Amino acid sequence: MTVLETVELKKNFGDISALKGVNLAVRRGEIHGFIGPNGAGKTTTMRILLGLLKPTAGTATVFGRDAWKDAVEIHRQVAYVPGEVQLWPNLTGGEVLDLLARLRGPGNERLRGELLERFDLDPSRKCGTYSKGNRQKVALIAALSSGAELLILDEPTSGLDPLMEQVFQDCLQELRAQGRSVLLSSHILSEVEKVCDRVSIIRDGVIIESGTLVELRHLTSTHVAVQTKRPLEGLEQFSGVHDLQERGGVTYFSVEAEELGAVMAHLSRFEIVRLECAPPTLEDLFIRHYEGETRR
Amino acid sequence: MKRNFAGTLTLSRFFWRQERRQVVLWALAIVLLNFLVVVSYAQIYKSPAERAAMAQTMRNPAMTFMLGPGWGLDNYTIGAMVGHEMLLFAAMLAAIMNILVVQALTRSSEEDGRHELLLSLPVGSLSSLAAPLVLALMQNAGLALATGLALWVPGVESVDLAGSLLFGTAVGTTGFFFAGLTALFAQLAETSRANLILSLSVLGLLYVLRGLGDLGREWLSLATPLGLILRTQVYVANYWWPVGIMLAAAGVLWTGAFRLNWGRDLGSGYLRARAGRQRASRLLRSPFGLALRLQRSAIISWLCALLLLGASYGSVFADLEEFLAGNEFLREILPSVQGYSLTEQFLSMVIDVTAMLAVIPALLPVVRLVKEEKAGRLESLLALPVSRLNLLLGFLLLGVLVSALAMLASGLGLGLAVQAVLGEGPPLTSVLVASLAQLPGMLVMLGAAVVIVGFCPRFTVLLWAYVAYSVFAVYFGVLINLPQWAVKLSPFGWNPQLPVEPFEVQTALLLLGLAVLLCAAGAWGYVRRDLDL
């Protein structure tokens, strides 16, 4: 059961085509990571899903309804945190929170106070005096206290300090526990890794990879550091072994998932003293695809 | 000590690079205005009799309050006229220019973190204030010289070089004084907005205090910078001593600014920002409520200004015959209709003109929507269950409301003042009705604004051009025999001129219909186009 879906979504701005066929689906109750380099089309996709931009071709649906035509109805159950939160400089944070809540409907008073405390935000200050992080907190508190079924968050932690980032991640876990759905774009891959159930990677207006982290990791290689009693040899012959090097008696290399078993069997013959395996990080995935782009 | 000012000159050049556009445009506007006034006064008021008649209309408290005491009224030469009617105005413009420039380079730059970047370089800690000082000195010296020369160049006899240079210097000195005031307030205020509001309100307050002083309390006028600068009595007595006092006062302000700057942390201010409301008021719950909250101060200021404008027009009605006798220009553009008194004719013209000014605050909420879009603040709103149509209508509704309030304010000021000076004349209700009869044309203008917002938000300047064209066509059209169709291109060309002309229901309905059509078309575009998020 998907809460939002795009099919062959295209968007042109004049001559520039920002999206060249985006196929994205978020299932009910999942936290879906949306990652990609700057200018890949993350924000554009999100804005189309919110009916802020009209797609050039393809479809974008939320809760099974057309994102552009039924925007107002959809928005009753959607909360959004823009990447660049801009607020009215002469309104206070509290006034903005009230305005945003009232335009949606009756707000959740208890949650509002609780979140203000957790995010350590002073609602009596004018938004003009807020830092980027504080403006982001206002938008986050508005979204998190809305009770919306689906949250669309565009790099919501880019201005937050590590402490606040932790608070935000706790909030996400609570949302998951309540069965709500989240589309979360991010640059901070460790954050995506920590909280997301599934991930879509976008590059140059196209989704290039989509799936659970386990599925995606399968596509890339494991980092190995090994020390053996007898001198290690013969690793070069494995086609799946890369970046082989030796420093201070320790051999470092990375190995593709398909050959991991064979390589391990090979290593054991040299009497292993120490062995460290690091799973591939999302960074590796990201860089692998990113390199693919630059090579082209 | 010297270390604290390291890099000042480099920084001033850099600041000039940032602000030169604004500085040059303001200075050009001030210089050109003065030049044009001298040229046109010399054209309009050729004979001493005409000037004496003009002087006669200046002899009333309202004029003294607005322009300052008229020292040369007994021998009202072109020079005396320019000095009396233009010096205060030009000095105020220079003050606003300096307030804007200095605030951009001090508190605003500090708030946006540009100061932080600059001060991390091998730059003295006082240089960030010394550089605006250098810039203020240069720009006001340039402004003084250019203004002085622009006045003198047309070669009008009574506008001599000595007086012109003093006029220019007085303007430049006032600018420098307010640059110092803004620099001082930049140390006190914690936000750039507070700095700007503080500086502009003090300017406004000083203007009013000077006006009250000029009405008979000489000491009060002497104690305020604007009153002091008028005591130069340019082209009449040419006193230089007020300039000296002003420069000394400006020096004190700048010194104060440096003292305070030395003792405070980057980003802090001596006046702590007041804690604002924790909760929004009950009004702030719809797009209309938001529009009202955002435009509140602007609307109140405009309504007060229009009330005053109406009142100042009204105060002229006492000696209307003399006033018009002395003003060939007004006599020519005044529609002469049989069977109506001069008072009624002039009244209809005044209402016509105020309507074209009153439309400006009415357009502001709609134009604000474009500003909101450019500032990226619509994204959060439209992601809520708020349709674009709803948003647009909220801001448009405020515009409609303001146009009615604006006409009521100016009508009230005009009507009450006419009553006060004439003791009889047209009743207040008829002035108010005549004012409100201008609404259909104003609403068409609002419709044009919605079309701009809906289709080409980048070209809001077209809207202001249309307003300017209306003023030109309706006000000056008669003078240059502008064909009737060209006047009718402006919605104000269709408005009835009550009480001289009858109110035609058909025309009014036609205008209203057009307004609705324009709004609908604009809304159609707004709902469909991509927002510039």
Side-chain angles (χ1 to χ4, degrees), chain B residues 64-69 71 83 86-96 99 170-171 173-175 177-178 181 199-211 213-214 218 220-233 242 246 249:
Chain B
T64 307
F65 180 84
M66 280 198 299
L67 302 174
W71 278 285
M86 287 308 295
L87 179 57
L88 182 58
F89 190 44
M92 299 257 302
L93 284 178
I96 295 173
I99 288 173
V171 170
T173 310
T174 311
F177 176 89
F178 280 94
L181 193 76
S199 308
L200 288 175
S201 339
V202 167
L203 173 65
L205 185 72
L206 289 174
Y207 173 78
V208 173
L209 285 180
R210 184 234 23 104
D214 284 348
E218 186 69 10
L220 186 56
S221 292
L222 283 173
T224 59
L226 295 172
L228 198 59
I229 215 71
L230 287 179
R231 268 52 189 180
T232 49
Q233 304 193 18
M246 281 287 280

Side-chain angles (χ1 to χ4, degrees), chain B residues 169-442:
Chain B
T169 309
V171 170
T173 310
T174 311
F176 187 60
F177 176 89
F178 280 94
L181 193 76
T182 311
L184 182 73
F185 287 161
Q187 316 306 318
L188 301 178
E190 243 189 351
T191 64
S192 61
R193 220 184 126 75
N195 183 15
L196 192 64
I197 291 175
L198 199 59
S199 308
L200 288 175
S201 339
V202 167
L203 173 65
L205 185 72
L206 289 174
Y207 173 78
V208 173
L209 285 180
R210 184 234 23 104
L212 296 175
D214 284 348
L215 290 177
R217 302 165 198 83
E218 186 69 10
W219 59 270
L220 186 56
S221 292
L222 283 173
T224 59
L226 295 172
L228 198 59
I229 215 71
L230 287 179
R231 268 52 189 180
T232 49
Q233 304 193 18
V234 284
Y235 299 119
V236 178
N238 287 348
Y239 295 128
W240 278 85
W241 58 266
V243 171
I245 297 180
M246 281 287 280
L247 282 177
V252 170
L253 288 175
W254 277 102
T255 314
F258 276 102
R259 283 304 284 249
L260 292 177
N261 187 263
W262 184 243
R264 73 181 177 89
D265 290 336
L266 185 70
S268 72
Y270 288 94
L271 295 176
R272 300 277 319 182
R274 230 166 0 108
R277 310 174 64 110
Q278 298 232 4
R279 308 303 305 243
S281 83
R282 308 179 64 116
L283 273 173
L284 191 55
R285 55 171 60 248
S286 61
F288 174 77
L290 177 65
L292 185 65
R293 177 74 172 74
L294 294 177
Q295 295 294 120
R296 195 174 56 191
S297 343
I299 292 173
I300 294 174
S301 322
W302 267 97
L303 291 183
C304 291
L306 285 167
L307 193 78
L308 281 179
L309 183 77
S312 62
Y313 267 125
S315 68
V316 175
F317 278 74
D319 335 86
L320 196 57
E321 304 283 344
E322 288 138 68
F323 180 63
L324 291 179
N327 198 322
E328 192 185 344
F329 169 70
L330 279 177
R331 245 182 302 138
E332 276 194 32
I333 63 171
L334 205 60
S336 54
V337 186
Q338 291 291 314
Y340 288 96
S341 70
L342 199 57
T343 305
E344 284 168 317
Q345 291 179 25
F346 190 59
L347 195 65
S348 71
M349 198 197 82
V350 165
I351 291 173
D352 229 21
V353 174
T354 44
M356 288 186 277
L357 281 175
V359 82
I360 295 173
L363 294 175
L364 288 179
V366 180
V367 173
R368 174 77 190 219
L369 211 48
V370 176
K371 190 181 163 196
E372 291 295 304
E373 179 178 347
K374 280 187 186 145
R377 290 193 286 257
L378 290 188
E379 209 176 356
S380 311
L381 281 184
L382 290 173
L384 296 167
V386 173
S387 69
R388 292 188 190 189
L389 188 64
N390 196 336
L391 186 70
L392 179 65
L393 288 181
F395 280 70
L396 177 62
L397 180 63
L398 184 66
V400 174
L401 215 65
V402 170
S403 46
L405 286 177
M407 283 323 283
L408 281 177
S410 64
L412 199 66
L414 181 62
L416 288 179
V418 170
Q419 291 274 312
V421 297
L422 288 184
E424 49 187 86
L428 181 60
T429 45
S430 82
V431 177
L432 287 181
V433 167
S435 296
L436 288 178
Q438 296 285 330
L439 277 180
M442 294 170 78

